[in-house]
Amino acid sequence: MLPFLGAFALLLSVAFGEGDQTSNSTGGYVLKQGPLDTPWTDKVGTNPWPEYPRPQMARSNPNQWKNLNGVWQYKNLTKAEWQELEKENVTIGGELEGGQAVLVPFCLESALSGVMGNFTIYSRYRTTFDVPSTWNDRVLLNFGAVDYEATVYVNGKNVAHHVGGYWSFNVDITEALNDNGTNELFLTYINCSNVHVFDPTNLDPYNIPLGKQKLIPEHIFYTPCSGIWQTVWLESVPSDNIDKLDIHADADGKINVTIHTSSQLTVADFVLYETGSTDIKAKLQVPVNEAVEFPVDSIKLWSPDSPTLYNISVTLGNDTVQSYTGFRTVSRGVIDGVQRPLLNGEFIFWFGTLDQGYWPDGLHTPPSLEAMVFDIKALKEVGYNMVRKHIKVEPALFYQACDQLGLMLIQDMPALATSQVWVEEWPACPIKAPSLEQRTVQREFDRQLEILIEQHKSYPSIVTWVIYNEGWGQPSEHYDGVQNYTIDYDLTNLVRQHDQSRLVNTVTGWFDHGAGDFHDNHHYSSPQCGTPWYSDAAVPYDPTRIAIQGEFAGIGQNVTAEHAWKVRKSIEEVQKTYELDATVEIWNLRAHMIFKELQFQIENFACSGAVWTQTTDVEGEVNGMLTYDRRINRMNKEQWKADIKALYDAATTRNGSNGTVYLGSRGEMGI
């Protein structure tokens, strides 16, 4: 087995386009040979992600929904084609001349898509589908997520336009369907000519919520994801149907439910089942379009150690959807003079990883549900009770898996771009993606922040919302005539207007102006968590809020060529890792040493939670628990189990202890 750096020449044939780059016609799909694969890559086939994709409002009866994942037609547009389409009145329909096969739902830049494109800024998709004659009155077309701006046509009729690369959306396409025979679905982007798919990523002059994506990847910024990257499906619904469910259940046994509908019906039947059973625990009629709260007796609580869930069914007229909830309360309180995060009224130490959710074969999209759950189980196995979902949003089934397996989630809002790329080949177009004008960018960021919360606030596992990461997109010192800290407080209040059941981490790392529930510090490699010392962009610990180490560690260990992202720039930038350890054994030893530092800070100061960087390697980063291909687990599992348990034990001793605690005002230390 060759050492990583010694195998550089071996990497070049794949890294720089000399591998399998077979061009597909509109006929068959061919899996590309990317820079790296996973154990699940070859198992994907041409019917990926067959599972019903929306577990909290499921119409999963096989006779009621139809998965549209699979091989579609795709075409990337050149500058000349774009200019021609802009000038002409283009008919939406028919074959994509000069197109190729694409596997939905995988990013156009990924190997699994069969395209493995670059600068896929303007694109077109096409597929056909049949609607069963037995279906109900209305047919809904659903998209899990499309990056970034999508215009949807069915049989030539414009049925939807959507902006935002991380959010689900649907549309009633009943009126656009053919009476008999095959229907044609075109997914296109951009308002210039209404026939394109548009994803600017960090193309100048646009600034959109994009997380870690960059058109030209570099070290901690990765290959972008364009196009359809989550499941597409059809659903049969009656005319009177449920649009959305909001469900929250507290540790005191209260359930708060809102059933959203545009129907004229005024009440729905709500049934809560005994956990793990079809026996009915509670049944009542509830009014629609208003929040209703009612008590449930003898409930079992949800926690990482006991992730108890209760199934739910809601019926409105002839429409029935399935859902679930978990009874738990997230709050904050003072224990022995220290601000703490509380789950069901108790302080437990929140310890998790920075979870980026990238895959070498599918990029934003895991190759399968099994693969996605593999990561979660690897963390649970050694005792992690939390992950910070880092400036990315996952498919709904990820959140269900965290609910089921018992993993608390700190959910980030995808960050705005940190830099722009200007490319003459791709002229600007007056579309809805915000340009660099600060006021426009901020309004769009705020709008999508609200969408994040509204689409995810019913998952029991989510315990905290993060607004800004390390100042990325955070307004500069003066914005629109006001100090930037005003924006921090305004957005914190905005989040709480949409969800009062969770904590808010306004700024994780760097420019903290005192808003939110947490004082969050990033420090590599050693922790500085609620301590009386600080450095870099951090400020002295604020004892009026909860101390959390939002990122730390980041220690890396080089891997052999077969497990590395075989791209020259990524290989060269491995040396930028915060710390590189010579062997896996040394890496585990260094982790043990860092754990002891964190344990000391829990025992003696105000540290309430920490986020270890990171779950897996990603492209040029080699500091994961797992390698990017998920084939190597670096952890000495017994050591990690013991060290993580020691953190929890240290936190337990602080529930009423008289240890040294940082209690003074900013810049002061109290004993």
Side-chain angles (χ1 to χ4, degrees), residues 369-539:
L369 177 62
E370 177 190 3
M372 185 174 70
V373 172
F374 175 86
D375 281 5
I376 300 172
K377 289 183 175 179
L379 300 179
K380 286 288 293 185
E381 183 182 10
V382 295
Y384 282 109
N385 63 14
M386 177 266 285
V387 295
R388 176 183 163 204
K389 178 46 63 178
H390 188 39
I391 51 179
K392 179 181 184 276
V393 177
E394 295 290 354
L397 292 173
F398 172 86
Y399 299 95
Q400 182 190 37
C402 291
D403 293 340
Q404 293 173 333
L405 295 174
L407 198 64
M408 294 185 292
L409 277 164
I410 294 175
Q411 176 63 57
D412 290 12
M413 170 66 187
L416 294 165
T418 59
S419 65
Q420 275 70 36
V421 174
W422 183 79
V423 183
E424 185 177 4
E425 175 70 11
W426 303 106
C429 180
I431 58 159
K432 292 186 182 296
S435 68
L436 288 178
E437 198 277 316
Q438 181 66 60
R439 188 179 291 101
T440 304
V441 171
Q442 189 65 49
R443 279 198 300 264
E444 183 62 17
F445 180 87
D446 298 356
R447 183 187 75 87
Q448 294 194 33
L449 174 63
E450 293 180 85
I451 295 173
L452 167 68
I453 299 164
E454 285 298 322
Q455 292 194 356
H456 296 85
K457 65 183 182 181
S458 294
Y459 293 108
S461 53
I462 297 178
V463 295
T464 296
W465 304 110
V466 173
I467 300 175
Y468 287 118
N469 173 71
E470 293 189 347
W472 298 0
Q474 193 177 4
S476 56
E477 184 176 355
H478 293 279
Y479 160 67
D480 203 19
V482 299
Q483 293 286 340
N484 59 350
Y485 66 78
T486 303
I487 304 301
D488 289 358
Y489 281 92
D490 288 346
L491 287 184
T492 302
N493 290 333
L494 178 67
V495 171
R496 287 177 173 152
Q497 288 170 15
H498 286 270
D499 181 14
Q500 298 182 21
S501 70
R502 293 176 176 85
L503 303 180
V504 182
N505 190 344
T506 306
V507 181
T508 173
W510 299 13
F511 307 121
D512 181 5
H513 302 108
D517 296 299
F518 293 89
H519 180 218
D520 189 335
N521 177 33
H522 293 184
H523 193 258
Y524 291 97
S525 297
S526 60
Q528 291 178 2
C529 184
T531 66
W533 61 86
Y534 62 98
S535 60
D536 300 333
V539 295

Side-chain angles (χ1 to χ4, degrees), residues 578-590:
Y578 295 107
E579 172 184 307
L580 279 171
D581 300 319
T583 65
V584 170
E585 290 73 23
I586 295 298
W587 181 86
N588 277 286
L589 176 61
R590 284 290 295 127

Side-chain angles (χ1 to χ4, degrees), residues 99-113:
Q100 66 183 96
V102 61
L103 187 62
V104 170
F106 293 104
C107 310
L108 294 171
E109 295 85 350
S110 72
L112 278 169
S113 73

Side-chain angles (χ1 to χ4, degrees), residues 302-345:
W302 185 96
S303 71
D305 290 336
S306 182
T308 304
L309 299 174
Y310 290 81
N311 288 328
I312 290 168
S313 69
V314 179
T315 301
L316 177 72
N318 294 320
D319 188 24
T320 297
V321 296
Q322 308 299 323
S323 190
Y324 67 90
T325 193
F327 289 86
R328 58 92 184 113
T329 296
V330 181
S331 60
R332 59 183 279 194
V334 177
I335 297 179
D336 195 24
V338 182
Q339 290 281 339
R340 299 295 193 187
L342 306 179
L343 181 67
N344 303 328

Side-chain angles (χ1 to χ4, degrees), residues 356-372:
Q356 311 250 32
Y358 274 75
W359 297 80
D361 44 13
L363 300 178
H364 273 196
T365 313
S368 65
L369 177 62
E370 177 190 3
M372 185 174 70

Side-chain angles (χ1 to χ4, degrees), residues 78-148:
T78 65
K79 178 180 179 180
E81 289 171 323
W82 178 84
Q83 290 172 330
E84 286 301 310
L85 288 170
E86 186 184 30
K87 291 188 298 184
E88 299 175 7
N89 183 16
V90 177
T91 301
I92 305 299
E95 297 283 337
L96 286 180
E97 183 179 351
Q100 66 183 96
V102 61
L103 187 62
V104 170
F106 293 104
C107 310
L108 294 171
E109 295 85 350
S110 72
L112 278 169
S113 73
V115 175
M116 211 159 76
N118 188 28
F119 277 64
T120 51
I121 294 172
Y122 301 113
S123 305
R124 302 178 73 186
Y125 283 88
R126 176 183 181 271
T127 193
T128 59
F129 61 88
D130 296 321
V131 175
S133 60
T134 56
W135 274 17
N136 278 322
D137 302 343
R138 315 303 296 178
V139 176
L140 304 182
L141 173 62
N142 299 270
F143 292 87
V146 183
D147 197 348
Y148 174 73

Side-chain angles (χ1 to χ4, degrees), residues 511-571:
F511 307 121
D512 181 5
H513 302 108
D517 296 299
F518 293 89
H519 180 218
D520 189 335
N521 177 33
H522 293 184
H523 193 258
Y524 291 97
S525 297
S526 60
Q528 291 178 2
C529 184
T531 66
W533 61 86
Y534 62 98
S535 60
D536 300 333
V539 295
Y541 165 58
D542 175 5
T544 67
R545 292 179 293 155
I546 300 165
I548 189 171
Q549 184 73 58
E551 294 179 25
F552 81 118
I555 57 174
Q557 184 268 326
N558 241 325
V559 295
T560 55
E562 63 187 296
H563 302 291
W565 183 247
K566 301 173 184 62
V567 173
R568 183 200 296 271
K569 185 175 177 63
S570 297
I571 294 167

